[in-house]
């Protein structure tokens, strides 16, 4: 059975932000049969780390993220949170920015919505939402002066920046991003990667980032979880000890980057045979 999502464990010097224990998911198919989407997995996500999750389509990446976010109920297993942070400390940025934004609200109101639902903010603090606070979140993601516009007036890349601003405004401790840059052109995508790295470093949040793109995973993360095809769980847990700060051209030329790229690619391709 699914243990309480609020259960916490004893803090130590190296407390994981989330401890995932034997977490598994079955979906009921249209014929009424149970279909296993994810075999039981164990995973500790270290506080403040940047973890990428890669694997073939259908291997259960989104299912895992959605269970962590509380959007999907696990069929078995448990999630343990650092101290009592719980699922309220998590924010989710979807692949399709439309899912993360409220199109009937202006850009400024979308950020304000995030502020209103801020984690660990007193009601008094959240009622005091100045325009300058909203503007500071928009500036942080490179969207200054856009408060009165509507999401439909922004490009795809700008909408995804807004989705990130809104998530940040709600003060998350853990940010889950499910293929957030896959619909964005290559140059904007590099800018978005650097934006995310800056935010992660400045705010010391924990990030779980799902991507199909192994280069992107290596460029961003401390650790890559390679998922097995067909929901069979974790194939490999790879330590990405590339130096920081990362830089778009030189990091991708490092011998260690190329070695990790080859190893990870071989693993992912092997899982598709
Ligand atoms: P990924 O994100 O790695 O592409 P998903 O987590 O979306 O994979 O899906 C894992 C498996 O679970 C797939 O076989 C998919 O068809 C199935 N699945 C996902 N969501 C549902 C659902 N709501 N109902 C039934 N099956 C689902
Ligand atoms: Mg997915």
């Amino acid at each position: 059975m699914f243990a309480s999502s609020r259960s916490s464990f004893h803090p130590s010097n190296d407390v994981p932000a989330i401890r995932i224990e034997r977490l598994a998911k079955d979906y009921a198919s249209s014929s009424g049969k149970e279909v296993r989407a994810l075999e039981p997995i164990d995973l500790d996500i270290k506080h403040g780390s940047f973890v990428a999750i890669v694997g073939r389509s259908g291997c259960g990446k989104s299912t895992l993220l959605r269970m962590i976010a509380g959007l999907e109920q696990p069929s078995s297993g448990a999630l343990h949170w650092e101290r009592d942070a719980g699922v309220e400390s998590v924010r989710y940025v979807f692949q399709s920015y439309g899912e993360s934004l409220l199109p009937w609200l202006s850009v400024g109101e979308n950020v304000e919505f995030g502020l209103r639902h801020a984690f660990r903010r007193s009601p008094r603090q959240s009622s005091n939402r100045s325009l300058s606070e909203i503007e500071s979140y928009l500036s942080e993601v490179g969207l200054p002066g856009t408060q009165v516009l509507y999401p439909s007036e922004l490009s795809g890349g700008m909408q995804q920046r807004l989705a990130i601003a809104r998530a940040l405004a709600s003060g998350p401790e853990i940010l889950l991003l499910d293929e957030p840059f896959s619909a964005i052109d290559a140059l904007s995508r590099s800018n978005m990667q650097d934006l995310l790295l800056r935010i992660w470093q400045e705010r010391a949040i924990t990030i779980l980032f799902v991507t199909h793109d192994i280069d992107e995973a290596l460029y961003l993360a401390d650790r890559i979880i390679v998922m097995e095809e067909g929901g069979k769980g974790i194939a490999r847990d790879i330590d990405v000890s590339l130096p920081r700060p990362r830089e778009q051209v030189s990091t991708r030329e490092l011998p260690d980057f190329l070695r990790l790229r080859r190893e990870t690619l071989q693993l992912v391709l092997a899982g598709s045979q």
Side-chain angles (χ1 to χ4, degrees):
M1 275 304 290
F2 178 44
S4 161
S5 65
R6 296 300 302 263
S7 68
S8 57
F9 48 87
H10 228 59
S12 70
N13 286 340
D14 201 19
V15 184
I18 318 169
R19 173 163 292 167
I20 293 166
E21 203 177 272
R22 309 296 296 156
L23 204 65
K25 180 69 185 175
D26 300 314
Y27 287 109
S29 71
S30 45
S31 64
K33 262 183 29 195
E34 295 270 289
V35 178
R36 177 133 279 202
L38 191 61
E39 297 279 348
I41 64 162
D42 290 310
L43 191 62
D44 275 2
I45 306 292
K46 206 172 144 197
H47 183 82
S49 61
F50 197 130
V51 179
I53 301 171
V54 303
R56 308 285 300 187
S57 244
C59 70
K61 304 181 295 296
S62 298
T63 298
L64 174 61
L65 241 57
R66 292 175 66 81
M67 287 194 287
I68 295 171
L71 299 171
E72 203 76 69
Q73 183 77 357
S75 303
S76 59
L79 280 163
H80 305 280
W81 301 91
E82 181 182 27
R83 292 179 293 277
D84 63 346
V87 75
E88 302 82 28
S89 65
V90 173
R91 290 296 177 274
Y92 200 105
V93 174
F94 295 90
Q95 172 176 4
S96 129
Y97 16 85
E99 285 182 74
S100 301
L101 298 174
L102 301 171
W104 61 91
L105 295 182
S106 69
V107 167
E109 287 164 343
N110 265 281
V111 176
E112 190 191 18
F113 187 91
L115 284 168
R116 220 179 306 145
H117 294 88
F119 175 59
R120 285 192 178 143
R121 235 174 185 244
S122 71
R124 196 164 158 271
Q125 277 176 306
S126 41
S127 66
N128 183 23
R129 300 176 299 272
S130 65
L131 290 181
S132 67
E133 190 176 5
I134 294 171
E135 188 62 23
S136 78
Y137 282 105
L138 288 169
S139 296
E140 189 172 354
V141 299
L143 291 176
T146 56
Q147 286 201 35
V148 297
L149 299 177
Y150 279 81
S152 60
E153 297 176 84
L154 305 179
S155 71
M158 290 164 86
Q159 289 189 49
Q160 199 55 301
R161 284 169 190 269
L162 174 57
I164 292 171
R166 201 182 97 157
L168 290 177
S170 66
E173 293 191 351
I174 301 167
L175 199 54
L176 309 177
L177 300 110
D178 194 352
E179 303 192 38
F181 307 149
S182 56
I184 295 172
D185 70 89
L187 282 178
S188 308
R189 188 166 179 154
S190 303
N191 294 337
M192 295 293 285
Q193 291 164 353
D194 290 333
L195 169 74
L196 191 62
L197 282 180
R198 181 169 54 71
I199 288 167
W200 170 67
Q201 265 150 349
E202 286 173 5
R203 293 176 173 266
I205 49 180
T206 306
I207 292 187
L208 259 75
F209 186 97
V210 166
T211 179
H212 271 117
D213 183 337
I214 286 161
D215 285 32
E216 180 169 73
L218 283 169
Y219 181 68
L220 294 171
D222 299 320
R223 179 181 176 199
I224 299 181
I225 306 296
V226 182
M227 305 278 286
E228 291 228 37
E229 193 202 11
K232 294 196 194 72
I234 296 171
R236 191 79 66 86
D237 190 341
I238 299 171
D239 183 32
V240 184
S241 48
L242 297 170
R244 293 191 188 272
R246 309 259 165 101
E247 200 276 324
Q248 286 289 354
V249 178
S250 59
T251 296
R252 293 170 194 269
E253 288 174 346
L254 292 171
D256 277 346
F257 185 95
L258 299 173
R259 176 183 56 78
L260 285 165
R261 181 176 194 271
R262 186 170 55 243
E263 284 174 19
T264 314
L265 200 54
Q266 276 169 346
L267 265 173
V268 173
L269 293 176
S272 66
Q273 283 164 3

